[in-house]
Amino acid sequence: MTAPKRTNRKQIKDKDFELVRAINSGQFDRFPDLVKRYEQKLYNFSFRMCRDAADAEDTVQETFLNVFRYLKDFRYETKFKNWLYRVAASTCIKKRRKSKFAPQRELSLDEFYPQNEAEDPQQVPEWAQMPLDKLLSNELLDKINEAIFTLPEKYRLVIVLRDIEGFSTAETAQILNLSDANVKVRLHRARLYLRDRLKGYFENE
Amino acid sequence: MNKDEHDHKHCLELFEKLSEYLDNELDEVTCQGIEKHVKECVPCFVCLQTLKRTIDLCKQTENRSVPKDFSEKLKEAIQNMPKSPSAR
Ligand SMILES: [Zn+2]
């Protein structure tokens, strides 16, 4: 009799569970289904991280090759999607280190303190008040995407996972191997940075 | 509340927690403290509203669609991968 060592560990049966299990039981011809399911999402994630279309394509391809290579080690202890993004994030980070060197700037909280503004605002600006659908335009979305691009990588990773991909604090911490507290600090600074950029955009309009 | 009475130290403490507040990650007492403060402090209220709008806008950023030939290239790359588990 063998001891039930790992069997009582809880497996997460998310929407990918059956497919991943099928591939891991030898149905390799089903791997393209998994690719189809995530290529769009991973392309966008990689594009935001690499900031270059060709690099994003390479990164997605490398990510899927890594997924294929390591899928047998996946233990179903998290959602498959979280594990996938963990692979994707580390592939992006490696890719970046190989490509052009860009210094990692730290964002400190005091750059964003409200008292650094010329004067205390006495009312909520128009852009933060009007209905969201009235405010939205392609030009504005381009501005935001540009602003996200200028964030240092460690902040960009966090805000993309949290506010664009919709992962929770705990999930983001797990994907990036950070503490929850660290995720929160980086997220807050990234948001404040974007807020400043938006403020600048609307004030100079 | 006029500006002279404005307790800046309190504002700065609160400023650090605004994201957690908007993400519902704070305990009830802290939340109530923030809600009470922003009712009385216009700059903090403005800060909260502009931050909230920033997050909403960020969530609206568009996704690019995958370039046309990319899906095909990807498919090919995957077909060329070693198929047997031993080669993995
Ligand atoms: Zn205040």
Side-chain angles (χ1 to χ4, degrees):
Chain A
M1 217 178 83
T2 47
K5 264 189 223 150
R6 281 171 162 263
T7 44
N8 53 1
R9 249 192 229 185
K10 211 175 152 230
Q11 292 193 331
I12 296 190
K13 295 189 177 166
D14 60 11
K15 65 182 175 56
D16 299 314
F17 180 75
E18 293 304 332
L19 179 56
V20 172
R21 214 174 47 166
I23 296 164
N24 271 342
S25 70
Q27 296 177 43
F28 302 122
D29 57 329
R30 295 198 64 193
F31 191 73
D33 295 344
L34 198 61
V35 174
K36 201 135 216 82
R37 210 172 269 188
Y38 284 107
E39 63 179 2
Q40 169 92 44
K41 282 193 108 14
L42 284 190
Y43 178 76
N44 277 289
F45 174 71
S46 302
F47 187 80
R48 288 198 167 94
M49 294 320 299
C50 300
R51 304 181 289 189
D52 175 87
D55 281 356
E57 289 190 17
D58 288 353
T59 306
V60 175
Q61 189 170 318
E62 275 166 45
T63 300
F64 280 121
L65 294 177
N66 285 331
V67 167
F68 190 72
R69 205 170 290 145
Y70 299 114
L71 194 61
K72 61 183 185 314
D73 302 325
F74 177 59
R75 292 281 166 260
Y76 310 95
E77 284 162 0
T78 63
K79 283 186 201 154
F80 170 73
K81 191 182 164 198
N82 299 11
W83 183 82
L84 176 70
Y85 271 78
R86 205 181 151 101
V87 176
S90 70
T91 309
C92 285
I93 292 167
K94 268 192 208 118
K95 176 96 194 157
R96 183 194 161 277
R97 296 212 171 118
K98 269 189 221 158
S99 70
K100 54 231 152 217
F101 175 74
Q104 282 270 61
R105 195 164 80 86
E106 294 283 334
L107 300 178
S108 81
L109 204 56
D110 19 304
E111 333 178 11
F112 306 115
Y113 280 150
Q115 90 248 32
N116 287 354
E117 286 162 23
E119 52 190 286
D120 281 345
Q122 286 310 310
Q123 60 174 35
V124 179
E126 186 72 12
W127 66 271
Q129 270 192 63
M130 62 196 286
L132 192 61
D133 56 330
K134 288 230 167 64
L135 181 70
L136 279 174
S137 67
N138 288 333
E139 191 199 329
L140 176 59
L141 290 170
D142 284 348
K143 283 283 162 214
I144 301 165
N145 277 322
E146 266 172 45
I148 293 171
F149 270 16
T150 61
L151 270 167
E153 184 184 57
K154 61 187 226 182
Y155 302 94
R156 190 154 24 102
L157 264 170
V158 170
I159 200 169
V160 168
L161 289 171
R162 284 283 285 114
D163 287 343
I164 297 178
E165 303 288 343
F167 288 104
S168 69
T169 299
E171 287 173 323
T172 304
Q174 197 185 40
I175 290 168
L176 299 177
N177 242 338
L178 295 171
S179 67
D180 284 11
N182 218 322
V183 168
K184 287 180 189 180
V185 165
R186 290 186 193 186
L187 177 64
H188 189 43
R189 291 176 195 186
R191 286 170 171 177
L192 289 169
Y193 173 88
L194 290 186
R195 185 185 76 117
D196 275 9
R197 297 286 300 247
L198 282 169
K199 234 165 34 181
Y201 170 67
F202 285 110
E203 279 161 14
N204 297 319
E205 219 181 6
Chain B
M1 183 185 265
N2 80 41
K3 232 178 146 183
D4 302 327
E5 295 167 42
H6 192 228
D7 180 8
H8 252 331
K9 191 169 164 281
H10 193 53
C11 294
L12 294 185
E13 274 171 20
L14 178 141
F15 182 68
E16 284 178 34
K17 296 199 178 94
L18 289 181
S19 274
E20 286 171 274
Y21 172 73
L22 291 170
D23 292 336
N24 282 319
E25 292 177 331
L26 294 172
D27 60 89
E28 220 181 302
V29 177
T30 314
C31 281
Q32 282 164 358
I34 290 178
E35 277 151 23
K36 184 169 176 290
H37 181 86
V38 295
K39 263 187 202 147
E40 294 159 354
C41 177
V42 177
C44 283
F45 181 68
V46 173
C47 209
L48 182 67
Q49 293 305 111
T50 49
L51 189 65
K52 185 171 182 297
R53 182 44 61 96
T54 302
I55 299 165
D56 291 341
L57 285 172
C58 200
K59 290 182 175 162
Q60 299 291 323
T61 56
E62 271 166 89
N63 282 324
R64 309 175 132 233
S65 44
V66 175
K68 257 209 183 99
D69 55 342
F70 178 58
S71 292
E72 282 307 308
K73 270 196 276 179
L74 195 57
K75 224 188 207 166
E76 218 172 281
I78 281 151
Q79 271 161 2
N80 291 332
M81 290 187 308
K83 285 290 181 294
S84 74
S86 58
R88 277 220 251 166

